Amino acid sequence: MTRAALSLRLFALYLGANGLILLLVPNLLLALLGLAPTEEPWIRVLGIIVFNLALYYHAGADGVPFQRITVVTRVIVLVGFSGLVLAGLAPGLLILFGLVDFTGAIWTALAIRRDRAVSQNASP
């Protein structure tokens, strides 16, 4: 592993931990920062986004193509947003935003598959 890849992986761990804390126990982090506790759903939404950012860093360290990792992270958005709604921590409308991400994930996944098939058929 290169030094650059190691730095990306370690930063991914840091971001992933912060994302999970913001998602699961946001007031713990807010208290550590001297900020007022909140019950607003947006801090948990931020946790999902920060967690996904960690996945981008980890994937970048491994050389995973950006297009592929976006499929995973956009599915996580729908699952995460749905979980927040089902837990009563966010309004139901948030699922619609997750569905937009999920639809984009399907579109990208199908496009990747189609591009791969075209590329394989074009090879001698």
Side-chain angles (χ1 to χ4, degrees):
M1 177 185 321
T2 66
R3 289 179 185 98
L6 177 62
S7 74
L8 290 174
R9 282 194 179 182
L10 291 176
F11 193 64
L13 287 172
Y14 166 76
L15 284 175
N18 281 315
L20 289 174
I21 290 169
L22 286 170
L23 175 61
L24 301 173
V25 285
N27 289 324
L28 174 67
L29 185 57
L30 293 176
L32 288 171
L33 296 171
L35 299 171
T38 185
E39 295 303 318
E40 290 291 321
W42 307 114
I43 194 78
R44 295 176 191 272
V45 168
L46 178 63
I48 293 167
I49 293 167
V50 170
F51 181 80
N52 278 347
L53 187 58
L55 295 179
Y56 287 124
Y57 273 87
H58 190 274
D62 291 340
V64 175
F66 180 76
Q67 294 170 347
R68 281 196 3 229
I69 194 63
T70 68
V71 172
V72 173
T73 58
R74 289 183 283 172
V75 170
I76 289 172
V77 167
L78 175 59
V79 171
F81 286 5
S82 298
L84 291 176
V85 170
L86 292 173
L89 298 170
L93 195 58
L94 191 61
I95 292 176
L96 291 179
F97 287 92
L99 286 171
V100 170
D101 278 50
F102 184 73
T103 302
I106 292 171
W107 182 9
T108 301
L110 293 173
I112 290 169
R113 181 181 295 168
R114 179 68 180 138
D115 289 346
R116 188 178 304 135
V118 168
S119 175
Q120 289 174 350
N121 288 338
S123 298

